[in-house]
């Protein structure tokens, strides 16, 4: 059996389907899974264990046998907790086959095979009865089916089905209840992830203002949840306009409805401002008394408790359909709408002297259908990309460098996906501007964008691949200035945007002999770091709450070694603090004034470790030299102090290469240096790397 996997090809800037062996998909799934992160989540594990012990005791006190149904068992951890707490029997359901096989081994290794039956099915396929998967209905329901949005992994339909067919009426449930909280905030930073702000350009003939098309202004955006590590968002980047409100709760011990519904809460702003964003998180009570609580509340809500770091459950950022000015003390209604898998919000003013009929009409208004992007711009520009386009400092660097290279007779070609550079080039005096767009979506969005600014006849969009560019596309002119940010939507790792170099090579025949290329070059930079927490996602667990889960560790390790461990992985490091253990080092350079060479570019060397700390891995990023003295970084923005704290570009993912010592959990004697070997294969556009701790 072969699997086809989509992979970005950095030499063509497009997604390509690659045939992989049947193991590939499963290894990817395991290597990229959050199992390690969950097993390291001490707070979650301890509280589940407390909740399970309490539930088993309550059933035993009633003189009943404790029969447990564990949906989504994963490693079998929660079932083993139940068995060791005295449950008579556990049915552990796991739909992912490799995981179910691992659970069988783990259960056996821990000596619970007689008490736990692992069933490799979706819970909705499980049968009950003398010949069924389960002999009888369970009286304790244990699950961990939650994501950051609570319901995004299908918890509601699974619970609904379990109550109808798999558990007894009045069963115990762990967790017993979940509650979703929300808070209204104003935040230019987060709002900049949803819409394009006007761009101001100082041109020779006065200030120009670039505006987004009106249909983008009114577009609700995309429905996918924006989940982030809100604990890394500094309080200076948002202001809270309301207290925290409880939006809704789900009691898991009673029948659950998954059908679409909405919840409406009245709130009064604690200060005036622009309501733009709803921040949301949840907590779970493991027992009916509410004494065992596991919360995702961010730092400003629970400042007293030490925050448990976790990456499998974070916090949600929801964008209101429109920015609403609100006044302190006025009455507002916040509505959370949900379907089976997602939640969205809207805000309304309470009307003076509302009667029942008004209120019902008001409630009908509140049930807005789930947000769908109609302007297509949100399909072209994801949230970090919008943040990048809205970054005025970054735009200023491009304006400054374009002013240096453009002349009144410049013929300019832009190669980047959905970039504002063509407009900047036009405003800054280029005689003619062409832009090469890679997809139908980017063509249609840029067309609307140019139209909204009356530039449709000033900038020509070419929908063609660079290698298929003909002189007629360019009206038989030679290009004197070639520009790129560079940014391409298919790029996953920082160096994938080197596609610009391949495109530049493909259009060589159309370039004037004295062409200026902006950026003129790029450099790959690297630094050795110690992560505060991110290392946990790749670190083996060994023993979890007294249970041996090494089988899972080995499985993750095999999958990482199958392909991933010699590859870097993308992470937005503004969300994952680290400290530098070495100075940043430029390791490879790429000269865009020349075409891509036939031979590989490689380098080796060593970096000294300047600070004590655990060398978890290397971080790599690109810097683009727009002109001789202006550059932009996609990674490190600054090293802030002697401690080595780092500030990262918030709009880009950096590449993280975890050292095998993290994956193998070796004890490091203090290394003093790290040697590296890095190879850029010009045929594939990929970078291979190897590191050794000395």
């Amino acid at each position: 059996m072969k699997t086809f996997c989509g992979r970005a090809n950095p030499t063509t800037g497009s997604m390509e389907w690659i045939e992989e062996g049947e193991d590939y998909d499963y290894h990817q799934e395991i290597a990229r899974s959050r199992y390690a992160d969950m097993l390291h989540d001490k707070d979650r594990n301890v509280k589940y264990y407390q909740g399970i012990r309490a539930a088993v005791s309550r059933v035993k006190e009633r003189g009943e046998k404790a029969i447990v149904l564990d949906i989504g068992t994963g490693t079998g951890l929660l079932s083993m907790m139940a068995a060791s707490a005295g449950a008579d029997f556990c049915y552990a359901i796991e739909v992912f086959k490799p995981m179910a096989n691992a659970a069988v081994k783990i259960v056996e290794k821990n000596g619970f095979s007689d008490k736990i039956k692992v069933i490799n099915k979706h819970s909705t396929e499980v049968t009950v009865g003398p010949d069924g998967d389960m002999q009888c209905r369970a009286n304790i329901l244990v699950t961990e089916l939650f994501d950051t949005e609570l319901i995004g992994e299908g918890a509601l339909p699974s619970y609904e089905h379990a109550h109808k067919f798999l558990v007894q009426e009045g069963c115990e449930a762990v967790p017993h209840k979940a509650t979703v909280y929300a808070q209204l905030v104003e935040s230019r930073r987060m709002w900049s992830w949803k819409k394009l702000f006007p761009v101001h350009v100082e041109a020779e003939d006065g200030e120009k203002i670039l505006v987004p098309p009106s249909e983008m202004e009114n577009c609700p955006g995309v429905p996918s949840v924006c989940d982030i590590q809100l604990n890394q968002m500094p309080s200076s980047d948002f202001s809270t306009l309301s207290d925290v409100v409880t939006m809704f709760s789900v009691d898991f011990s009673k029948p659950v409805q998954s059908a679409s519904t909405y919840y409406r809460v009245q709130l009064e702003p604690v200060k005036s401002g622009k309501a733009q964003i709803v921040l949301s998180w949840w907590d779970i009570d493991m027992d009916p008394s509410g004494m065992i609580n596991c919360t995702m509340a961010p730092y400003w809500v629970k400042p007293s408790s030490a925050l448990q770091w976790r990456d499998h459950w974070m916090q949600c950022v929801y964008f209101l359909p429109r920015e609403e000015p609100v006044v302190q003390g006025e009455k507002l209604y916040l509505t959370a709408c949900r379907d089976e898998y997602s939640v969205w919000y809207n805000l309304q003013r309470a009307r003076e002297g509302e009667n029942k009929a008004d209120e019902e009409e008001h409630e009908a208004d509140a049930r807005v259908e789930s947000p769908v992007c109609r302007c297509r711009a949100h399909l072209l520009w994801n949230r970090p990309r919008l943040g990048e386009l809205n970054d005025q400092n970054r735009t200023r660097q491009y304006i400054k460098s374009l002013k240096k290279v453009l002349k009144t007779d410049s013929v300019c070609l832009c190669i980047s996906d959905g970039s504002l550079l063509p407009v900047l080039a036009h405003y800054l005096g280029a005689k003619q501007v062409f832009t090469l767009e890679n997809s139908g979506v980017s063509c249609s969005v840029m067309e609307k964008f140019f139209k909204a600014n009356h530039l449709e006849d000033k900038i020509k969009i070419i929908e063609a691949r660079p290698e298929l560019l003909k002189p007629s596309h360019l009206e038989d002119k030679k290009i004197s200035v070639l520009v790129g940010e560079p940014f391409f939507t298919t790029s996953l790792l920082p160096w994938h945007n080197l596609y610009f170099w391949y495109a530049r090579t493909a259009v060589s025949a159309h370039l004037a002999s004295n062409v200026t290329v902006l950026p003129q070059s790029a450099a790959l930079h690297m630094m050795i770091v110690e992560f505060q927490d991110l290392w946990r996602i790749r670190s083996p667990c060994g023993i979890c709450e007294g249970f041996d889960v090494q089988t899972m560790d080995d499985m993750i390790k095999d999958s990482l070694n199958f392909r991933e461990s010699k590859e870097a992985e993308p992470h937005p490091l503004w969300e994952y603090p680290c400290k530098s253990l070495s100075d940043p080092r430029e390791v490879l350079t790429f000269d865009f004034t020349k075409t891509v060479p036939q031979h590989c570019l490689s380098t080796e060397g060593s970096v000294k470790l300047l600070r004590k700390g655990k060398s978890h891995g290397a971080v790599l990023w690109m810097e683009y030299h727009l002109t001789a003295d202006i550059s932009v970084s996609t990674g490190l923005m600054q090293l802030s102090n002697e401690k080595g704290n780092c500030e990262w570009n918030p709009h880009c993912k950096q590449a993280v290469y975890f050292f095998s010592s993290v994956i193998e959990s070796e004890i490091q004697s203090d290394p003093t240096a790290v040697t590296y070997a890095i190879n850029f294969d010009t045929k594939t556009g990929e970078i291979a790397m190897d590191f050794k701790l000395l």
Side-chain angles (χ1 to χ4, degrees):
M1 213 328 256
K2 293 283 188 194
T3 313
F4 285 93
C5 298
R7 266 204 163 183
N9 180 339
T11 67
T12 62
S14 54
M15 291 300 282
E16 291 178 0
W17 295 96
I18 294 169
E19 202 177 356
E20 297 279 5
E22 62 180 300
D23 289 350
Y24 178 76
D25 241 15
Y26 132 67
H27 282 301
Q28 277 284 350
E29 176 89 16
I30 298 285
R32 287 278 170 265
S33 70
R34 286 285 180 252
Y35 289 115
D37 175 38
M38 291 182 212
L39 295 173
H40 283 292
D41 187 344
K42 182 90 182 140
D43 179 62
R44 160 193 181 266
N45 300 336
V46 167
K47 287 173 178 165
Y48 260 102
Y49 210 168
Q50 290 172 345
I52 288 168
R53 282 196 193 103
V56 171
S57 310
R58 289 195 300 275
V59 169
K60 295 279 191 186
E61 276 162 19
R62 299 199 290 261
E64 297 173 26
K65 278 191 162 180
I67 307 295
V68 175
L69 171 63
D70 170 8
I71 301 178
T73 195
T75 55
L77 179 68
L78 304 183
S79 285
M80 294 191 296
M81 287 177 176
S84 62
D88 295 276
F89 202 77
C90 303
Y91 295 102
I93 317 289
E94 176 54 56
V95 70
F96 184 43
K97 187 152 181 52
M99 203 60 241
N101 296 344
V104 169
K105 287 184 193 146
I106 292 169
V107 164
E108 194 174 322
K109 195 168 178 183
N110 286 277
F112 292 110
S113 293
D114 56 334
K115 293 268 182 167
I116 298 173
K117 177 183 180 186
V118 177
I119 301 168
N120 176 210
K121 281 186 173 182
H122 196 285
S123 65
T124 54
E125 316 272 282
V126 170
T127 56
V128 179
D131 307 325
D133 300 308
M134 297 169 64
Q135 287 294 296
C136 60
R137 288 184 175 229
N139 53 10
I140 301 177
L141 175 55
V142 177
T143 69
E144 204 278 64
L145 297 169
F146 313 117
D147 66 346
T148 295
E149 200 170 24
L150 187 70
I151 63 171
E153 288 179 5
L156 296 178
S158 298
Y159 270 112
E160 183 171 37
H161 175 271
H163 275 287
K164 282 184 186 155
F165 302 105
L166 306 177
V167 296
Q168 297 173 16
E169 199 177 328
C171 71
E172 300 289 342
V174 182
H176 177 76
K177 175 175 120 177
T179 306
V180 172
Y181 302 91
Q183 188 170 27
L184 204 55
V185 306
E186 172 177 349
S187 168
R188 183 180 167 88
R189 177 177 175 187
M190 290 184 259
W191 196 233
S192 80
W193 301 341
K194 177 186 185 250
K195 57 182 293 178
L196 194 60
F197 298 153
V199 181
H200 296 257
V201 185
E202 291 296 336
E204 291 283 288
D205 51 348
E207 188 188 49
K208 310 279 191 206
I209 300 177
L210 246 182
V211 296
S214 59
E215 64 178 307
M216 184 181 180
E217 282 293 89
N218 303 317
C219 183
V222 285
S224 61
V225 67
C226 176
D227 52 344
I228 60 168
Q229 292 282 1
L230 215 38
N231 289 321
Q232 297 308 319
M233 181 68 68
S235 54
S236 53
D237 278 348
F238 62 95
S239 69
T240 55
L241 301 180
S242 78
D243 292 327
V244 177
V245 293
T246 301
M247 288 310 298
F248 63 95
S249 292
V250 185
D251 180 338
F252 297 124
S253 68
K254 299 193 168 71
V256 169
Q257 306 288 320
S258 69
S260 299
T261 184
Y262 69 96
Y263 311 91
R264 197 160 163 239
V265 173
Q266 193 175 330
L267 58 83
E268 291 181 10
V270 293
K271 71 180 217 219
S272 303
K274 292 181 266 195
Q276 298 163 327
I277 303 286
V278 175
L279 299 179
S280 175
W281 57 89
W282 49 263
D283 66 15
I284 41 182
D285 286 322
M286 295 298 182
D287 67 324
S289 71
M291 298 298 287
I292 311 167
N293 179 272
C294 184
T295 180
M296 305 310 125
Y299 65 88
W300 65 91
V301 179
K302 288 243 172 203
S304 55
S305 61
L307 295 164
Q308 164 76 50
W309 185 85
R310 40 172 78 93
D311 206 43
H312 57 110
W313 297 330
M314 295 183 271
Q315 294 81 27
C316 297
V317 176
Y318 294 99
F319 304 90
L320 287 171
R322 279 169 309 284
E323 184 180 282
E324 302 278 359
V326 298
V327 177
Q328 182 178 343
E330 74 171 324
K331 273 194 182 151
L332 300 172
Y333 288 116
L334 182 64
T335 308
C337 307
R338 70 151 183 82
D339 54 24
E340 284 185 327
Y341 300 100
S342 61
V343 182
W344 59 98
Y345 283 85
N346 61 71
L347 185 69
Q348 292 165 300
R349 282 190 174 69
R351 300 178 191 137
E352 283 306 306
E354 264 192 308
N355 62 28
K356 197 82 189 113
D358 289 339
E359 205 163 293
E360 281 172 14
E361 181 191 337
H362 209 139
E363 294 203 9
D365 289 351
R367 297 193 292 275
V368 178
E369 62 265 27
S370 106
V372 175
C373 170
R374 298 200 176 81
C375 73
R376 301 184 83 184
H378 298 95
L379 308 179
L380 173 64
W381 295 319
N382 65 13
R383 293 168 184 134
R385 174 62 170 161
L386 277 167
E388 182 171 67
L389 293 173
N390 284 321
D391 183 335
Q392 294 168 326
N393 291 337
R394 180 178 181 273
T395 303
R396 235 172 263 133
Q397 301 295 81
Y398 284 93
I399 290 174
K400 220 159 76 185
S401 49
L402 282 168
K403 280 182 173 169
K404 290 188 171 205
V405 305
L406 289 173
K407 303 186 177 70
T408 47
D409 61 352
S410 292
V411 177
C412 188
L413 172 65
C414 175
I415 303 182
S416 271
D417 289 349
S419 174
L420 307 185
L421 289 183
V423 182
L424 300 182
H426 170 73
Y427 283 154
L428 296 171
K431 182 178 175 187
Q432 201 163 7
V433 181
F434 299 95
T435 179
L436 207 53
E437 296 294 340
N438 215 345
S439 69
V441 172
S442 69
C443 281
S444 82
V445 171
M446 296 319 286
E447 215 166 273
K448 288 175 198 163
F449 187 73
F450 296 156
K451 226 180 216 136
N453 292 281
H454 312 294
L455 299 171
E456 61 270 38
D457 50 350
K458 304 279 196 296
I459 300 169
K460 185 176 170 194
I461 299 174
I462 303 168
E463 189 180 357
R465 302 203 43 79
E467 64 277 12
L468 301 175
L469 193 63
K470 301 189 195 67
S472 58
H473 284 128
L474 302 170
E475 298 164 16
D476 295 323
K477 296 197 173 67
K478 289 282 188 209
I479 299 302
S480 59
V481 180
L482 178 68
V483 298
E485 297 183 35
F487 172 86
F488 301 99
T489 49
T490 52
S491 299
L492 298 172
L493 290 160
W495 47 88
H496 289 169
N497 284 323
L498 285 173
Y499 170 58
F500 177 74
W501 201 12
Y502 292 89
R504 177 256 177 265
T505 303
V507 302
S508 289
H510 304 283
L511 306 179
S513 55
N514 61 346
V515 66
T516 302
V517 183
L518 182 157
Q520 57 184 35
S521 66
L524 178 69
H525 290 245
M526 173 200 83
M527 188 167 74
I528 310 302
V529 303
E530 171 180 47
F531 285 107
Q532 195 177 300
D533 297 295
L534 188 65
W535 59 273
R536 297 172 202 276
I537 68 168
R538 294 288 166 260
S539 168
C541 189
I543 303 292
C544 182
E545 298 310 311
F547 303 101
D548 182 337
V549 292
Q550 203 193 322
T551 306
M552 185 70 224
D553 295 337
D554 295 343
M555 193 165 146
I556 292 174
K557 207 158 70 189
D558 289 348
S559 289
L560 283 167
N561 288 334
F562 176 75
R563 175 76 47 90
E564 298 294 348
S565 67
K566 290 295 164 224
E567 284 188 0
E569 43 187 90
H571 292 285
L573 292 187
W574 74 266
E575 293 184 66
Y576 304 104
C578 61
K579 73 171 187 182
S580 68
L581 301 183
S582 75
D583 279 333
R585 163 84 55 99
E586 179 177 296
V587 286
L588 279 179
T589 55
F590 311 92
D591 182 354
F592 298 159
T593 63
K594 303 190 168 70
T595 55
V596 177
Q598 293 298 301
H599 59 86
C600 290
L601 303 178
S602 51
T603 180
E604 43 191 55
S606 74
V607 282
K608 273 219 285 296
L609 297 179
L610 311 171
R611 292 181 189 86
K612 285 255 179 286
K614 290 199 169 73
S615 300
H616 288 137
V619 177
L620 300 102
W621 67 95
M622 298 294 291
E623 285 193 9
Y624 295 102
H625 305 292
L626 304 182
T627 59
D629 56 349
I630 302 174
S631 36
V632 292
S633 168
T634 66
L636 197 63
M637 302 308 270
Q638 56 186 27
L639 276 173
S640 51
N641 53 21
E642 324 64 77
K643 291 205 192 93
N645 296 339
C646 311
E647 187 191 322
W648 299 99
N649 182 325
H651 316 303
C652 304
K653 287 183 178 177
Q654 292 72 37
V656 175
Y657 183 103
F658 286 107
F659 295 156
S660 57
S661 54
V662 174
I663 297 163
E664 309 284 343
S665 204
E666 295 157 3
I667 304 301
Q668 274 314 119
S669 54
D670 280 346
T672 53
V674 175
T675 63
Y676 59 87
I678 294 175
N679 181 60
F680 176 67
D681 183 343
T682 52
K683 298 273 180 291
T684 63
E686 290 294 356
I687 289 183
M689 55 194 90
D690 200 24
F691 296 89
K692 286 191 179 58
L693 303 181
L694 296 182

